[in-house]
PDB file of all heavy atoms in Angstrom:
ATOM      1  N   ASP A1268    -147.119 101.993  68.029  1.00 90.00           N
ATOM      2  CA  ASP A1268    -148.190 102.546  68.871  1.00 90.00           C
ATOM      3  C   ASP A1268    -147.945 104.002  69.255  1.00 90.00           C
ATOM      4  O   ASP A1268    -148.864 104.825  69.238  1.00 90.00           O
ATOM      5  CB  ASP A1268    -148.350 101.703  70.140  1.00 90.00           C
ATOM      6  CG  ASP A1268    -149.086 100.400  69.868  1.00 90.00           C
ATOM      7  OD1 ASP A1268    -149.760 100.313  68.833  1.00 90.00           O
ATOM      8  OD2 ASP A1268    -148.973  99.473  70.692  1.00 90.00           O
ATOM      9  N   GLN A1269    -146.694 104.323  69.632  1.00 91.00           N
ATOM     10  CA  GLN A1269    -146.400 105.684  70.069  1.00 91.00           C
ATOM     11  C   GLN A1269    -146.628 106.697  68.952  1.00 91.00           C
ATOM     12  O   GLN A1269    -147.226 107.755  69.161  1.00 91.00           O
ATOM     13  CB  GLN A1269    -144.945 105.778  70.554  1.00 91.00           C
ATOM     14  CG  GLN A1269    -144.714 105.211  71.944  1.00 91.00           C
ATOM     15  CD  GLN A1269    -143.266 105.408  72.364  1.00 91.00           C
ATOM     16  OE1 GLN A1269    -142.351 104.773  71.831  1.00 91.00           O
ATOM     17  NE2 GLN A1269    -143.053 106.295  73.306  1.00 91.00           N
ATOM     18  N   ILE A1270    -146.146 106.354  67.756  1.00 92.00           N
ATOM     19  CA  ILE A1270    -146.325 107.269  66.626  1.00 92.00           C
ATOM     20  C   ILE A1270    -147.797 107.361  66.249  1.00 92.00           C
ATOM     21  O   ILE A1270    -148.310 108.450  65.938  1.00 92.00           O
ATOM     22  CB  ILE A1270    -145.470 106.809  65.422  1.00 92.00           C
ATOM     23  CG1 ILE A1270    -143.978 106.870  65.790  1.00 92.00           C
ATOM     24  CG2 ILE A1270    -145.753 107.669  64.192  1.00 92.00           C
ATOM     25  CD1 ILE A1270    -143.050 106.322  64.725  1.00 92.00           C
ATOM     26  N   ALA A1271    -148.506 106.236  66.306  1.00 93.00           N
ATOM     27  CA  ALA A1271    -149.941 106.244  65.993  1.00 93.00           C
ATOM     28  C   ALA A1271    -150.706 107.152  66.956  1.00 93.00           C
ATOM     29  O   ALA A1271    -151.591 107.910  66.540  1.00 93.00           O
ATOM     30  CB  ALA A1271    -150.489 104.822  66.049  1.00 93.00           C
ATOM     31  N   LYS A1272    -150.355 107.090  68.234  1.00 92.00           N
ATOM     32  CA  LYS A1272    -151.012 107.960  69.222  1.00 92.00           C
ATOM     33  C   LYS A1272    -150.688 109.419  68.948  1.00 92.00           C
ATOM     34  O   LYS A1272    -151.558 110.296  69.055  1.00 92.00           O
ATOM     35  CB  LYS A1272    -150.574 107.571  70.628  1.00 92.00           C
ATOM     36  CG  LYS A1272    -151.156 106.264  71.119  1.00 92.00           C
ATOM     37  CD  LYS A1272    -150.614 105.907  72.496  1.00 92.00           C
ATOM     38  CE  LYS A1272    -151.147 104.554  72.956  1.00 92.00           C
ATOM     39  NZ  LYS A1272    -150.561 104.138  74.261  1.00 92.00           N
ATOM     40  N   MET A1273    -149.418 109.702  68.602  1.00 92.00           N
ATOM     41  CA  MET A1273    -149.021 111.077  68.320  1.00 92.00           C
ATOM     42  C   MET A1273    -149.773 111.630  67.113  1.00 92.00           C
ATOM     43  O   MET A1273    -150.238 112.772  67.104  1.00 92.00           O
ATOM     44  CB  MET A1273    -147.515 111.137  68.080  1.00 92.00           C
ATOM     45  CG  MET A1273    -146.948 112.538  68.001  1.00 92.00           C
ATOM     46  SD  MET A1273    -146.988 113.397  69.588  1.00 92.00           S
ATOM     47  CE  MET A1273    -145.666 112.560  70.448  1.00 92.00           C
ATOM     48  N   LEU A1274    -149.921 110.803  66.063  1.00 93.00           N
ATOM     49  CA  LEU A1274    -150.643 111.233  64.871  1.00 93.00           C
ATOM     50  C   LEU A1274    -152.124 111.451  65.176  1.00 93.00           C
ATOM     51  O   LEU A1274    -152.751 112.374  64.646  1.00 93.00           O
ATOM     52  CB  LEU A1274    -150.473 110.203  63.748  1.00 93.00           C
ATOM     53  CG  LEU A1274    -149.050 110.101  63.159  1.00 93.00           C
ATOM     54  CD1 LEU A1274    -148.986 108.971  62.141  1.00 93.00           C
ATOM     55  CD2 LEU A1274    -148.626 111.409  62.525  1.00 93.00           C
ATOM     56  N   ALA A1275    -152.688 110.607  66.029  1.00 94.00           N
ATOM     57  CA  ALA A1275    -154.088 110.786  66.426  1.00 94.00           C
ATOM     58  C   ALA A1275    -154.276 112.114  67.163  1.00 94.00           C
ATOM     59  O   ALA A1275    -155.252 112.841  66.936  1.00 94.00           O
ATOM     60  CB  ALA A1275    -154.535 109.618  67.302  1.00 94.00           C
TER      61      ALA A1275
END
Side-chain angles (χ1 to χ4, degrees):
D1268 283 341
Q1269 282 183 290
I1270 297 175
K1272 288 177 183 176
M1273 190 69 74
L1274 292 175

